[in-house]
Amino acid sequence: MKKILNITIIGLGHIGGSLASSLKNTHGRKVSITGIDNSPSVIRQALKSGFFSEVSTLGKSKTIDESNVIFVSVSIRSIPLIFSELIKINFKHNIIITDVGSVKEEIFNSAAKILPKKFEFVGGHPIAGTEKTGFKNLVSGLFENKPVFISGIRAKEESVRLIKSLWRSLGCLVYSIPPSEHDKIFGHLSHLPHVLAFGLKNIANKKLTSREILKYGGTSYKDYSRISESSEALWSEIFLSNRKNLIKGIKEFRVYLDKLESLLESNSKEKTEKHLKS
């Protein structure tokens, strides 16, 4: 790592704020962090945090042109807009752009289409975060012992090593995987479970009163309802961006449910148990 690494984080929500906190707490004066956000209240909160050398909007930043690395931590559908703004900036150094998005193929395609070749791109996805949103809900040490996937690369090997080393410095376990494989895996491990959690919450809310849910909801309800407290705006974008894999998963689960429904109607314990095991 260079003596002082100039890092910009665009989007100071739960992940962007946690990333700034973790980088500053780990590297101290060895990093200089510029924070970018559109919200005046978030900018005020970030300025008070002490993590940043500057906090501003993208159009008014005076230090972003000194960046070595830019982390894009905004909604998936906003990422191409950020790319289009970044290419207007005359950066003073070689620039590496990376991201934290939950879907990799769509983001990498946007990077390849919009960013000139002099802009290096290293896609990333830390498997971290909670159902909470916003800079006020940042978690220092959020990424410790968490996997991070490097997926979708158009960059020199030394630039890829730098991004990997930054994540490892925060305690992450770093894996490399093609974008299409990433989206297939997390369609099943993350996106489909969120679909189910949102659905279960909606059904419970329709069939039970809020008093009944609060009074009788046990551990299992609390586990899936916690997931369903995630941002609907964020997750609708994730679902749409990975819709091909998610549609396949939904169809597969529908087959599973139809079979289970049939077995319950037949009142067969042995066959139902076998189906649950399978």
Side-chain angles (χ1 to χ4, degrees):
M1 192 181 294
K2 297 179 181 180
K3 200 167 187 180
I4 295 182
L5 191 68
N6 295 315
I7 297 173
T8 293
I9 300 173
I10 301 177
L12 302 179
H14 172 57
I15 296 295
S18 298
L19 181 57
S21 171
S22 299
L23 285 168
K24 199 64 182 176
N25 289 337
T26 300
H27 297 289
R29 294 182 181 180
K30 292 182 179 179
V31 295
S32 177
I33 305 176
T34 296
I36 301 292
D37 204 273
N38 286 330
S39 168
S41 62
V42 170
I43 289 174
R44 287 194 295 271
Q45 291 172 41
L47 283 169
K48 291 178 182 178
S49 71
F51 303 141
F52 304 94
S53 57
E54 181 203 44
V55 186
S56 182
T57 60
L58 184 55
K60 294 184 178 179
S61 174
K62 296 178 181 178
T63 58
I64 192 171
D65 61 343
E66 298 175 4
S67 302
N68 304 112
V69 175
I70 294 179
F71 284 90
V72 180
S73 181
V74 300
S75 65
I76 292 171
R77 294 295 165 92
S78 297
I79 288 176
L81 302 176
I82 298 297
F83 288 165
S84 297
E85 290 301 312
L86 290 176
I87 64 175
K88 299 174 185 178
I89 299 171
N90 184 22
F91 289 99
K92 296 177 181 178
H93 312 287
N94 174 59
I95 186 69
I96 307 166
I97 297 173
T98 185
D99 77 299
V100 296
S102 301
V103 175
K104 298 276 47 99
E105 195 163 20
E106 183 175 302
I107 293 172
F108 181 63
N109 289 340
S110 294
K113 181 180 178 181
I114 298 170
L115 299 175
K117 289 188 177 179
K118 67 178 181 179
F119 284 68
E120 298 189 75
F121 181 78
V122 181
H125 177 205
I127 313 304
T130 70
E131 72 281 4
K132 297 181 180 179
T133 61
F135 186 84
K136 64 183 179 181
N137 289 311
L138 71 84
V139 177
S140 295
L142 177 68
F143 308 101
E144 191 171 345
N145 295 320
K146 299 297 196 312
V148 60
F149 285 81
I150 301 301
S151 182
I153 297 169
R154 197 190 67 186
K156 298 172 185 174
E157 185 55 39
E158 63 183 295
S159 299
V160 179
R161 284 198 298 268
L162 174 59
I163 299 302
K164 288 181 177 179
S165 71
L166 283 172
W167 284 117
R168 287 193 180 107
S169 73
L170 304 184
C172 290
L173 308 171
V174 178
Y175 303 97
S176 295
I177 193 170
S180 59
E181 189 68 15
H182 170 280
D183 291 356
K184 178 183 176 182
I185 290 170
F186 285 95
H188 284 87
L189 294 185
S190 175
H191 306 164
L192 183 59
H194 274 81
V195 168
L196 303 179
F198 281 119
L200 289 168
K201 181 186 74 171
N202 288 336
I203 291 170
N205 287 341
K206 286 179 181 178
K207 298 298 181 181
L208 302 170
T209 66
S210 56
R211 182 176 178 275
E212 287 173 320
I213 292 172
L214 184 64
K215 187 174 182 180
Y216 304 123
T219 303
S220 59
Y221 172 77
K222 289 175 182 176
D223 285 344
Y224 78 72
S225 65
R226 180 191 65 78
I227 297 173
S228 69
E229 293 302 315
S230 302
S231 165
E232 292 86 353
L234 168 68
W235 278 96
S236 64
E237 288 197 1
I238 294 172
F239 293 163
L240 288 167
S241 296
N242 198 24
R243 59 189 177 276
K244 290 182 180 179
N245 288 306
L246 191 53
I247 287 169
K248 289 179 182 177
I250 289 171
K251 287 180 177 179
E252 290 165 357
F253 198 74
R254 184 178 291 120
V255 170
Y256 176 86
L257 287 177
D258 287 343
K259 177 67 174 177
L260 179 60
E261 181 183 13
S262 175
L263 293 173
L264 293 174
E265 288 174 345
S266 70
N267 198 27
S268 171
K269 181 182 184 300
E270 182 181 347
K271 290 180 179 179
T272 300
E273 182 179 345
K274 184 177 179 181
H275 183 59
L276 295 177
K277 285 182 179 179
S278 67

